[in-house]
């Protein structure tokens, strides 16, 4: 196992870590069904610019002059966690005297560098990482879903005694499940039983959809109500909030939780992160997300998800069944989204919760920092400045294009970094490109294994592994330009983007040299119409390979796909029709998340009609939707807009009073309905009144208030929304043809003859620019110098 990527310690089957006291870390190891633990010493440390800042500190410590000439020249280590923080205060006081300034925190100075997580201290100095020698299925994972009562039309509020938990379903990845049913248990007994189950099952991971934002806050609040200890940690500890939300006027502590000895995985933010990259989900509710990952919750249970209190009174078994299905769905979603983070945890010296919460920059930096600590080398501080160049994205043709080829430069920016030996100037050990080269090599090997195996389980495992390599490798360029990165280098980041632009322009030149037509170039790929003499998939692939051979060594242009047609709209906005008639749409200018559902469906149908050159269908779609709006032949789910509340209602009203924000329909409708909401809640509303130009914040209602027997939605407003969506397609037609297509006037029938989809060249393209070791269970201090101060008693 490569030490640079996986650490110098090959300790196997470590499933969790927990700080047990000021000087020891508890290591949990899983061997089948058995979990063992061992307490080992660790030595908290920080980096300093000047050892005199610690001169005279009385407590036991070591201070080591590090190699190299980076900003932080010294490393100070301690035998106790509390002693380290005493030393931090000692340094700040000395530094304040030297600079005649007062500092409240070490983060306000550049004389000291510190990671505040004790588990990361141990991982950085020991070379240990989680889950080595394990497959994802070796972990014992447990899922939780709960159902609680609420007032009609309002979300459950755990401040209210009557809003109690009535069902709590727990399952695991080994085929076991149990639902604790409120018909058989009081709420207090239900909570006690949940604690018993988790303690008995002893899982490594607890998963839930909304685990941090709903499930754990609810469990915490209700156990406190009854005086039940939520002692579900491995040592009987309770969950605690480590990263609270700010400005939330709530009776509990929302935020990220941690649980000593176990990992908490919330599939809700995992889903949101997944969707941020792919834009394939309309929303992140469990009933919607589950089918996307292959688990369908029965339709007859949807009513139970909307009217939980009424369902508990009339058909409680349905609510129990829904809770069981949601726990199972959570497991399936986790099995799709969690494995890449599992494999990253095998590499990065970070706790699993940190891996799940943080971006790639923190993961890359942890690898660099671990090696600098191991080699006793000085570390830099972040450079000041900014990048001057960005990625290259242009559009050259709009309209409907046929026989389109997509080619992309495989891992463009990582390949440039490796091929040009780009290294941050402060990376004096040259670790940055070395780690990246290893990641790219191991990813290629993983992809080779994927192609050669027919075992679905093995393919899924290797796919997750190569995905973890990809996540890190593709972030090395971003790390160079990240303002808070220790090893950032804006000049080198500019070299990467400038080189990328030159390469893409050379690829475009080659395509045009052979009489191909470039449609769009997008960061690391290109869409083009191949030359007339290049016909069929095999010849297209050969053509791309020919261009690839002309590129510098280490840069490979890959044949990424072919399409019957491409609807080119704007830069980064287009639609594709594959040869198996599947439509894919990219870009928020075409279909935005903020659009009402009927708008998104309408735009998609229009795009499909354009891709199939069916102008009559385009007109018929417009007329059908317009009639639907006028006759109210639709559901509130079609025209309601859903927004997420980013602030509490109290914060919103304070901002309104201060004049720092404008009225918002989402907040105003819940105020009028006297509905309890909190930051993070989603609110669905629709527009009322008459006339297209109404003030929406004053003319809107909650979606749940709409009555199909007395529809009061603003038809004129929604007709104007339909016309706004239609105007996206003006670019593809002559003005008179556009007016004919997107009109309700069918007095003499619609005739599409003579109407053409325009294809135009874009005249002015848009631009976007001595190593650590364990002996006999004890971690030796690595500074090879005598300590200072008084030894601890």
């Amino acid at each position: 196992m490569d030490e640079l990527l996986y650490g110098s310690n090959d300790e196997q089957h470590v499933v969790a870590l927990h700080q047990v006291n000021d000087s020891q870390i508890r290591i949990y190891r899983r061997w089948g069904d058995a979990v063992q633990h061992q307490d080992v010493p660790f030595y908290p440390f920080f980096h300093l610019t000047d050892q005199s800042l610690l001169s005279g500190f009385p407590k036991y410590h070591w201070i080591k002059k590090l190699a190299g000439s980076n900003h932080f020249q010294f490393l100070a280590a301690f035998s106790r966690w509390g002693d380290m923080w005493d030393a931090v205060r000692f340094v700040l006081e000395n530094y304040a005297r030297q600079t005649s300034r007062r500092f409240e925190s070490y983060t306000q100075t550049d004389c000291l560098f510190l990671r505040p997580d004790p588990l990361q201290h141990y991982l950085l100095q020991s070379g240990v990482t989680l889950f080595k020698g394990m497959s994802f299925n070796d972990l014992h994972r447990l899922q939780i879903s709960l159902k609680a009562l609420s007032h009609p039309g309002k979300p459950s509020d755990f401040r209210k005694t009557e809003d109690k938990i009535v069902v709590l379903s727990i399952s695991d990845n080994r085929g076991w499940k149990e639902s604790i049913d409120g018909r058989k248990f009081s709420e207090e007994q239900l909570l006690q039983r949940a604690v018993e189950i988790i303690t008995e099952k002893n899982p490594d991971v607890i998963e839930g959809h909304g685990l941090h934002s709903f499930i754990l806050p609810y469990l915490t609040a209700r156990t406190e109500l009854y005086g039940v200890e939520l002692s579900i940690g491995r040592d009987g500890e309770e969950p605690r909030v480590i990263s609270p939300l700010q400005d939330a006027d709530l009776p509990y502590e929302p935020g990220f939780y941690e649980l000593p000895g176990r990992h908490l995985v919330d599939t809700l933010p995992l889903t949101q992160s997944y969707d941020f990259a792919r834009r394939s989900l309309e929303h992140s509710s469990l009933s919607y997300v589950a089918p996307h990952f292959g688990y369908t919750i029965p339709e007859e249970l949807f009513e139970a998800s909307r009217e939980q209190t009424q369902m508990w009174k009339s058909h409680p078994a349905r609510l129990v069944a829904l809770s069981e299905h949601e726990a199972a769905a959570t497991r399936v979603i986790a099995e799709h989204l969690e494995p890449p983070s599992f494999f990253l945890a095998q590499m990065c010296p970070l706790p699993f919760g940190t891996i799940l919460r943080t971006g790639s920059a923190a993961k890359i930096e942890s690898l660099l920092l671990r090696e600098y600590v191991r080699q006793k080398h000085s570390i830099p501080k972040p450079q000041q400045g900014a990048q001057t160049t960005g990625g290259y994205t242009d559009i050259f043709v709009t309209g409907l294009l046929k026989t389109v080829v997509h080619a992309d430069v495989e891992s463009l920016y990582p390949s440039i970094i490796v091929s040009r030996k780009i290294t941050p100037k402060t990376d004096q050990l040259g670790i940055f490109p070395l780690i990246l080269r290893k990641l790219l090599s191991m990813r290629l090997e993983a992809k080779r294994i994927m192609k050669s195996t027919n075992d679905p389980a093995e393919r899924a495992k290797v796919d997750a592994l190569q995905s973890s390599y990809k996540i890190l490798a593709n972030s090395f360029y971003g790390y160079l330009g990240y303002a808070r990165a220790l090893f950032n280098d804006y000049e080198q980041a500019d070299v990467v983007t400038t080189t990328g632009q030159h390469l893409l322009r050379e690829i475009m030149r080659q395509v045009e040299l052979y009489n191909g037509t470039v449609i769009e170039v997008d960061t690391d790929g290109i869409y083009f119409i191949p030359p007339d003499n290049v016909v069929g998939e095999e010849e297209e692939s050969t053509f791309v390979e020919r261009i690839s051979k002309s590129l510098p060594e280490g840069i490979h242009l890959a044949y990424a796909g072919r399409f019957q047609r491409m609807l080119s709209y704007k830069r980064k906005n287009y639609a594709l029709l594959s040869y198996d008639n599947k439509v894919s749409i990219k870009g928020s200018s075409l279909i935005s998340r903020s659009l009402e559902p009927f708008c998104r469906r309408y735009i998609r149908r229009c795009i499909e009609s354009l891709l199939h050159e069916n102008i009559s269908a385009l007109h018929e779609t417009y007329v059908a939707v317009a009639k639907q709006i006028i006759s109210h032949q639709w559901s509130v789910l079609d025209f309601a807009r859903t927004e997420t509340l980013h602030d509490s209602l109290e914060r919103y009203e304070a901002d309104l009073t201060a004049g720092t924000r404008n009225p918002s329909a989402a907040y105003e409708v819940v105020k009028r309905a006297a509905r309890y909401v909190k930051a993070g809640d989603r609110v669905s509303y629709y527009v009322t009144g008459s006339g297209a130009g109404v003030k929406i914040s004053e003319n809107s209602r909650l979606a749940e208030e709409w009555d199909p027997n007395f529809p009061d939605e603003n038809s004129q407003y929604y007709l104007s929304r339909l016309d706004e969506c239609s105007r996206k397609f003006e670019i593809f037609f002559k003005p008179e043809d556009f007016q004919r297509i997107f009109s309700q006037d069918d007095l003499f029938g619609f005739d599409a003859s003579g109407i053409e989809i325009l294809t135009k060249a874009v005249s002015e393209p848009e631009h976007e620019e001595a190593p650590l070791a364990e002996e006999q269970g004890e971690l030796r201090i690595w500074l090879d110098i005598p300590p200072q101060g008084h030894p601890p008693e």
Side-chain angles (χ1 to χ4, degrees), residues 136-435:
F136 181 64
N137 288 333
D138 289 336
L139 289 178
H140 189 191
R141 299 166 29 245
L142 184 148
Q143 301 80 40
I144 297 180
S145 170
L146 68 80
K147 294 297 170 188
L149 302 182
S150 66
H151 290 276
K154 296 185 179 181
S156 188
D157 181 354
F158 32 78
R159 296 177 298 183
K160 298 176 180 177
T161 306
E162 63 270 24
D163 283 12
K164 63 180 181 179
I165 301 172
V166 291
V167 184
L168 206 158
S169 296
I170 307 177
S171 62
D172 71 4
N173 61 323
R174 300 179 178 179
W176 171 90
K177 64 180 180 179
E178 180 176 328
S179 283
I180 313 171
D181 191 330
R183 293 171 294 178
K184 304 174 183 177
F185 297 91
S186 68
E187 186 180 25
E188 181 178 1
Q189 291 171 330
L190 180 149
L191 293 166
Q192 291 170 337
R193 177 59 185 150
V195 173
E196 290 173 3
I197 289 173
I198 295 171
T199 303
E200 176 189 336
K201 290 297 178 182
N202 195 18
D204 307 311
V205 180
I206 297 177
E207 300 163 346
H209 202 72
L211 186 67
H212 292 294
S213 58
F214 173 67
I215 296 173
L216 283 174
Y218 218 110
L219 288 174
T220 300
R222 302 307 286 186
T223 50
E224 286 179 357
L225 180 66
Y226 294 105
V228 174
E229 291 187 1
L230 192 59
S231 52
I232 56 177
R234 273 218 160 96
D235 294 324
E237 303 228 14
E238 298 187 62
R240 59 177 177 262
V241 175
I242 57 169
S243 179
L245 295 175
Q246 302 298 317
D247 302 318
D249 182 22
L250 297 170
Y252 67 101
E253 291 187 288
F256 290 109
Y257 285 73
E258 73 172 8
L259 186 61
R262 308 194 202 281
H263 307 295
L264 300 172
V265 176
D266 192 333
T267 54
L268 176 57
L270 279 183
T271 299
Q272 293 166 338
S273 177
Y274 165 87
D275 193 41
F276 179 80
R278 291 164 180 79
R279 299 284 178 179
S280 55
L281 300 172
E282 289 189 13
H283 52 82
S284 52
S285 66
L286 197 54
S287 59
Y288 182 84
V289 173
H292 181 82
F293 292 106
Y295 188 95
T296 302
I297 297 175
E299 277 190 39
E300 62 267 20
L301 298 180
F302 285 172
E303 185 183 355
S305 68
R306 292 190 294 268
E307 298 292 342
Q308 293 182 181
T309 301
Q310 181 58 40
M311 191 57 61
W312 183 249
K313 293 177 181 177
S314 58
H315 298 93
R318 290 188 185 178
L319 199 60
V320 173
L322 175 65
S323 183
E324 291 176 348
H325 277 289
E326 289 186 347
T330 299
R331 175 181 53 77
V332 171
I333 294 169
E335 285 169 353
H336 278 85
L337 301 182
E338 208 175 312
S341 295
F342 169 85
F343 288 113
L344 285 170
Q346 292 181 334
M347 291 183 271
C348 301
L350 297 169
F352 194 44
T354 305
I355 298 256
L356 291 163
R357 288 193 306 274
T358 57
S360 294
K363 300 176 181 73
I364 292 170
E365 189 157 283
S366 73
L367 297 176
L368 292 165
L369 192 55
R370 178 176 61 196
E371 188 61 17
Y372 270 73
V373 169
R374 189 185 75 83
Q375 294 198 32
K376 307 184 188 72
H377 198 285
S378 58
I379 63 172
K381 67 175 182 178
Q383 294 185 33
Q384 301 297 309
Q387 278 189 254
T388 58
T389 60
Y392 179 45
T393 303
D394 271 344
I395 184 172
F396 301 93
V397 185
T398 62
L400 186 65
L401 297 313
K402 299 180 181 179
T403 317
V404 175
V405 170
H406 179 210
D408 71 349
V409 185
E410 292 184 336
S411 302
L412 174 62
Y413 288 166
S415 297
I416 290 171
I417 292 171
V418 169
S419 64
R420 303 233 5 206
K421 298 181 174 60
I422 290 173
T423 306
K425 63 174 62 74
T426 53
D427 179 19
Q428 296 174 351
L429 294 177
I431 303 301
F432 185 87
L434 191 56
I435 291 176

Side-chain angles (χ1 to χ4, degrees), residues 160 183 197 268 309 382 438 454 456 474 478 509 519 571 676 709 732:
K160 298 176 180 177
R183 293 171 294 178
I197 289 173
L268 176 57
T309 301
K438 290 176 182 291
N454 295 320
N474 286 350
R509 191 187 71 81
I519 303 168
R571 178 170 48 85
Y676 166 74
N709 298 310
F732 302 121

